[in-house]
Each structure stands twice: as C-alpha cells, then as structure tokens.
Amino acid sequence: MRHTLAVLVENSPGVLSHVAGLFARRGYNIESLVVGETEDRTISRITLVVEGDERVLEQVSKQLNKQVDVIKVNDITEDETVDRQLLLIRVSADQSNRQEILQIVEIFRCRIVDIGRRSLIVEATGDEAKIEAVIKSLRPFGIQELVCTGKVAMVRGSK
Amino acid sequence: MMNGAQYLLRFLERKGVDLVFGYPGGKVIPLYDVLAGSKLRHVLARHEQGAVHAAEGYAEASGKPGVCFATSGPGATNLVTGIADAHQDSVPLFLVTGQVGLGDLGRDAFQEADITGIATPVTKNTYLIQESRQMPDVLEEAWQVMTTGRPGPVLVDIPSDIFVGQSDFPEPGTRILTRKIPMKHRLMKNLPTIVDRINQAKRPLILAGGGVVISGVRNELLQLMEKMNIPAANTLKGKGACPETHPLSLGMAGMHGRAAANLAMKNCDLLLAVGARFSDRVTGNPKKFLPDAFVVHVDLDIAELGKNIPADIGVAGDARTFLNTLLNRPELKRNPETDAWIQQIQQWEAEFPDDGGGDYEGVKSQAVIREAARQAGPTAVVVTDVGQHQMFVAQHYPLDAPRDFITSGGLGTMGFGLPAAAGAAFGRPGENVLLFVGDGGFQMTVQELAVLREHDLPVKIFLMNNGVLGMVYQWQALFYKENYSQTVFGHNPDFVKLAEAYDIPAFRLDQPDQIAPVIRRALDQAGPALIDCRIDPRELVLPMVPAGGTLEDMMGRWRGETHISRISGE
C-alpha cells in the first residue's frame, strides 16, 4: 500500500541522508520526497510517499523516531489531507495548435509561464489526479520536457 | 581561552572518563599533544580495530562508556567494524576521530574519509564539528545520546583546525533531548493482563537478553523466578543475566542452545522476554517459533517490539522498572501447576545432557572449558571471540553475574576477543580475565598481544587451536558435503613461540591428562599467559538447530550415542 509520511526534522546537515538511508537499507523505494522549511526555521518538514509492506513501514517509522534529528513522524495516509504537486511542462506548440493548448490550460486552471517559438511552458499545481490529467491532455501535442515535484500535504481541519 | 583539543579532554574528564583507547595520526597530533596535561590515561593499541574493540570490552566489563580516539581517513575507517559491533550489542562508545581541516573537506585531501557518512547506519548518531563554538553543545548532546535509552556508539568527527583553534568555549546549552528519552511506559495499562497471564500460566518461561545485563537487574529477575517458579533461558548476550548455577536457570537457547532450554521455549505457554530482541539465532524459523505461547516482550527500544516476532503485549521500558513494578503487585500468585512444568524440564535435562564431544582421543574443547570454569570459578571475566569456541563457552562455562561474559553477539566479529579481553582487564582491575579464542580470530588482531604485555594485564588466553575455521568447517561438514573450501589453514605459526616473542609465557596443551595442570600453571601467572590448546578439527558444536529450523528440531548426539540424530520436542 502507498503511504504518505510527514516527518518533522531538525534543519541540520545530514538529516536528509539519515532519513533516506533508513528507507534505502530496507529496500524500501521512495516514490517522492519533498523537503522544506516550516513556520519554524529550525525545523524542516519532509513529505515522503512510499509504497511497500506495512510491517516494514512500521519498523522504518520506529527507526525514524529513534533518530536524534527526527522530531516527529506522522503517517497521514488515512487522514483527510490537502495534497499539492507542482508541474512544469514544455509542450510543442505552433500557430496551428496554440489555441487548443490555451483552452486546456484554461480548463485545468494552469498557467502559461513561458512562450518560445515552437513551445510553451505550462505550470500546474494540484493533487496527483489533476497533475496526471494535465499531462495526459497535453501529451498529444508533444511533451519536450517535464518536471514535477513530489507531493506536499497538510491535514485538513482546524487544530 | 583554550584550544579545541584541551576542551575535549576537559569535557571527558568532567564526564568521569579516566581511560581512553586510541591510535594517533596526522590529524590528531594536536589532541595527543595536550593529552599529557590531562588526567586521562591513554592505552595505545596496535591497530585502530584493536582500540575500538578494547573500548567495547572495557565498557561491557565496567558498565561505563568506552572512549576511543583515531585519526582521519584510514584511522577512522579502521574503527568501523568495532562501531558496528557496538551498535548491534548496545555498547556505549564515544568515538572521536580527527578530520582534515575545514578548508580541505570534500577535496579528497590526504587521509580524508567521510566517516560521519560511513558510520551513520551503525551509530546512534554522528557529528561533524564545523565551528569551535559548537563543541560544548555537540559533545554534550553526543554524550547524552550515547547513554540515554538503549546505549550505543556515537561518533564525533573533529577537523584539525578545530583542535588547534583557541576559543572561549561557552557553557553547553540546555538543548533538550527529553523528547528522545524513552517513551512512556505502556506498562501500567497492560500490567493487570500481564499479572493475570503469569498467574495462570502452567508453563511459563523467561527469556533474558542483553538488556537484563545492561539494566543490572539480576536480583529482581531472580526474585521473580523464585517467587513465581518460572525458569529462565537466556540469549547469548544475556549470559550471566541470571545465575546459571541456579536450578531454575536453563542456560542459552537458540541455534546452539541447550536442549532443555530450547524444548522449554518450544513448549512454554507464556514467554516473558526481557531485554531480548529475538535475533534469528534465537528464534530459528520465526514463523514456527513459540507456537503456543502468549508473548510479553519488554524492551527499552520500542523499535524492537514486533520487529522480529509479534508480541501479544509489548512493553517499551527498561527491565528495572518493569520487574520492580511487577514484583510489587500483591496479586502475583505462584501457580502450583508450574511444578509439573519444572519436572518436565528436569526430565529433559536428564534425557538430553550437554554434549561432551565426539568419539576421538585428544583434548576436547568442552573439557578445557569446564576445567577452566572449575579452576577459575564463576567470578572470572570471560571473553570470547567468535565461532565454535564461543558457543562451547556459552554452553559449558556457567557464569553467575552479569558483565562477566563479553562476546561479540550480534555482529559476530572475528578478531574481537583479544582486544576486548585487554579492554575488560582495564575495566575490572585485579580480576582474572579468561579469553577463549580460535586460531582464526586470534590471527585477525594478534598484534594486540603487545598491549597485554605492555600493561601486564592478567589475561589468560585459551587458544582453541584446530587449524581450521571451525564453525564454517562444521557447516561444510554438515551441509556442504564436506567440501572444506578455504577453511583449512595451510600454515599456522607456532603460537607458543609467537607468544614468547611478545614475552608472554605460553604452554602447549595436547594431552587430555594435562588439561588441569596446564590450566593451573597458566592461571598461576600474575600477568598474561597463553595456552595453545590442540583440539580436533572434527569437533562439532551440538546441539544445533539447522538454519531456518524450529527449536525442537535439534541435531545432537543424544542418549550417549556417538552418531548425530534429531529429536522432536513432542
């Protein structure tokens, strides 16, 4: 099963390799990983999406909790969350199809962030389903380059 | 004002450290330069691996953290085996490595190695100091991490310019590590159930692990055993956790465990595992381990609960609190039905006695170990290397107190024994240290003989010399159709002469009737001594549970027979 983990860590050198190393050592593949500062600059948040055996994941979570620079590990898979990824995609575009691409961009509420002679760069944010849909819709025009961040997630509701 | 090296030594003095093991090199010259002005005594090993194993032996024998210095690059990488060993066996080690100067970091400078990166998976934490003012906080935190909760190694990597840099080192901040300090006991909630289960169990069993030794709760454990009539088996690292001469003590369980201990494990209806982590060497096939038992697993490290064996109740907490809380429960009542269980175990003991060795003439390991135990008594510090002799000692040398048995359990590091015995002798001044070591492992760290002589340490070396790598040889004999690939030494030195070259008295033991007198002569030496015990390479460690087998599936020479057969625990 796929899991989303939110890991609060100290903003210190080496912490990312500590965290990633614990997964790697158990043959656990990290599908995506995002690190960034939080409201407290001394603390970073790592959002991980991993897929694999439950028992191994429980073990990894416990081992993560033991790390000195790890503050808290939350498995937010079952929680109601707001998930976002950021996608940049360079699509082949010329006079003949530019209008059509613009329509798709409109429908998905994406943005054009660069225009070249034969291409456009489209920026999209959204959850996984939306990102996939955008990619699928733009694929027929020819994707020259694509880059997508991992998922960041926040649990819904008031604290 | 003082420099970083002086600050480090001050710090260690404040922590009560008086002995350091180490080996100098280019990047730690400034540290060694100020050593003479401190209260610390430094033991110069002959290899960094020797230094780190000695620090482990010291820590395990004394109960205090071991401290070890090494230089950058190869000095640091030579520590790694010992660090991994300490990590698996929960030994508190404070390792300080020199590092190239800050300006050279990452340039593949001479003797540069990313030791914090290399050591991360085998330490509780590593630190690279990058500014002098970090020193107080980092050292303090590292010390706390090492000693808090389940003990283990920490490594602090210090670039040479930090050693020499003058600074007014601030007082260490009060960085709070409490969030890392063991988790709340889930004990209180579960205690009524645990008491109930113990009271009702007809066939209860305790499995005592290394955690019992570390917590120093021998007496509490014994009280529980006696009060409730519960027998106890132990893991390899739990040897000495409860006195092995006690009638309720069954000795070691597992792959080479004693038959009665293994049969008790297999047949118990309640297992109280305290400070044990259910290593594969204890469980055999984990899916068929403990078929009928209700399992209560107590460990300080919550990550151990459910890691290898699912527990019915997991208690994250230290053995001391657990046992004391339990013993204070007035409703704890001895179940008279346990008498039949004890009788059953005694029957197994009688039916499947310890293996005395194969059918051949000559000196037998088992006999040497039993005689050493008889002469040295149950109060010596016993150290082993890794292999057949290690299992023989675990089976045949009964020990009465924790911290008297020092062995490389989890990692199984050949070459551990000799330096660890040196360290143990420093940790327990005035006591005899008995080292059992094979001719394979002995040659891996043999250079540390110099340390025994230099410091006149009373380490008696029982060199169990069969000219082969016995444990692998045994597997080849039993499971690889006697294909003894690369396990027979084509040449061995004359170990008596070798010891004599180090000015250590040495004796050859090749006649069974000489066992007692030769051991007497060695034990009578004030300082170190070596006995070259010529044992038979065909000897097998029995009983043996084949890898992946169940604990009742034991190979052995049962009922006085000379051939090997299997028994079943039904």
Side-chain angles (χ1 to χ4, degrees), chain A residues 18-36:
Chain A
H18 283 179
V19 171
L22 280 172
F23 285 90
R25 242 170 287 148
R26 288 168 179 79
Y28 223 94
N29 192 33
I30 297 175
E31 275 185 26
S32 88
L33 182 153
V34 179
V35 197

Side-chain angles (χ1 to χ4, degrees), chain B residues 213-287:
Chain B
V213 173
I214 294 168
S215 314
V217 284
R218 171 186 186 272
N219 294 340
E220 288 85 345
L221 188 72
L222 204 54
Q223 266 183 52
L224 181 67
M225 289 162 64
E226 287 176 345
K227 180 173 178 180
M228 297 303 292
N229 200 30
I230 306 179
N234 57 265
T235 68
L236 180 65
K237 292 299 287 182
K239 190 173 168 67
C242 64
E244 288 185 275
T245 45
H246 193 281
L248 285 172
S249 170
L250 307 182
M252 185 171 74
M255 179 176 273
H256 293 294
R258 300 181 63 242
N262 279 353
L263 292 172
M265 292 278 278
K266 188 72 188 174
N267 290 284
C268 67
D269 63 356
L270 171 80
L271 186 76
L272 202 56
V274 186
R277 61 187 177 82
F278 293 120
S279 129
D280 54 290
R281 284 298 186 265
V282 166
T283 62
N285 183 346
K287 291 195 176 72

Side-chain angles (χ1 to χ4, degrees), chain B residues 503-524:
Chain B
D503 206 13
I504 292 174
F507 311 92
R508 181 154 292 131
L509 174 55
D510 48 14
Q511 299 298 326
D513 60 347
Q514 291 302 301
I515 292 176
V518 170
I519 291 177
R520 173 51 53 210
R521 283 171 70 197
L523 291 179
D524 282 346

Side-chain angles (χ1 to χ4, degrees), chain B residues 275-358:
Chain B
R277 61 187 177 82
F278 293 120
S279 129
D280 54 290
R281 284 298 186 265
V282 166
T283 62
N285 183 346
K287 291 195 176 72
K288 293 179 183 166
F289 179 64
L290 302 173
D292 308 322
F294 186 88
V295 179
V296 179
H297 188 185
V298 184
D299 203 287
L300 188 51
D301 181 356
I302 195 169
E304 290 300 340
L305 305 177
K307 185 175 85 176
N308 295 335
I309 293 292
D312 294 293
I313 294 181
V315 179
D318 77 291
R320 178 173 298 277
T321 316
F322 172 75
L323 290 172
N324 282 326
T325 314
L326 194 58
L327 284 164
N328 285 331
R329 297 297 283 216
E331 61 270 38
L332 208 56
K333 290 266 157 35
R334 177 184 179 128
N335 183 344
E337 287 179 277
T338 53
D339 289 342
W341 170 236
I342 301 296
Q343 271 169 21
Q344 166 72 75
I345 289 171
Q346 284 164 351
Q347 222 169 10
W348 286 327
E349 293 266 13
E351 195 177 350
F352 306 110
D354 291 338
D355 186 81

Side-chain angles (χ1 to χ4, degrees), chain A residues 10 62 65-67 70, chain B residues 120 179-180 301 305 307:
Chain A
E10 294 205 11
K62 284 174 171 174
N65 264 316
K66 276 167 68 175
Q67 295 292 314
V70 171
Chain B
T120 292
R179 60 184 170 72
K180 289 291 158 193
D301 181 356
L305 305 177
K307 185 175 85 176

Side-chain angles (χ1 to χ4, degrees), chain A residues 10 13-14 17-18 25-26 55 58-59 62-72, chain B residues 120-121 124-127 130 141 145 150 175 177 179-180 301-303 305-308:
Chain A
E10 294 205 11
S17 72
H18 283 179
R25 242 170 287 148
R26 288 168 179 79
R55 221 173 60 86
E58 188 194 333
Q59 182 54 214
K62 284 174 171 174
Q63 297 290 350
L64 276 173
N65 264 316
K66 276 167 68 175
Q67 295 292 314
V68 172
D69 38 23
V70 171
I71 297 162
K72 198 168 198 302
Chain B
T120 292
K124 287 188 83 175
N125 210 15
T126 60
Y127 302 86
Q130 287 173 303
E141 179 181 316
V145 168
R150 179 178 178 178
R175 197 185 121 130
L177 278 170
R179 60 184 170 72
K180 289 291 158 193
D301 181 356
I302 195 169
L305 305 177
K307 185 175 85 176
N308 295 335

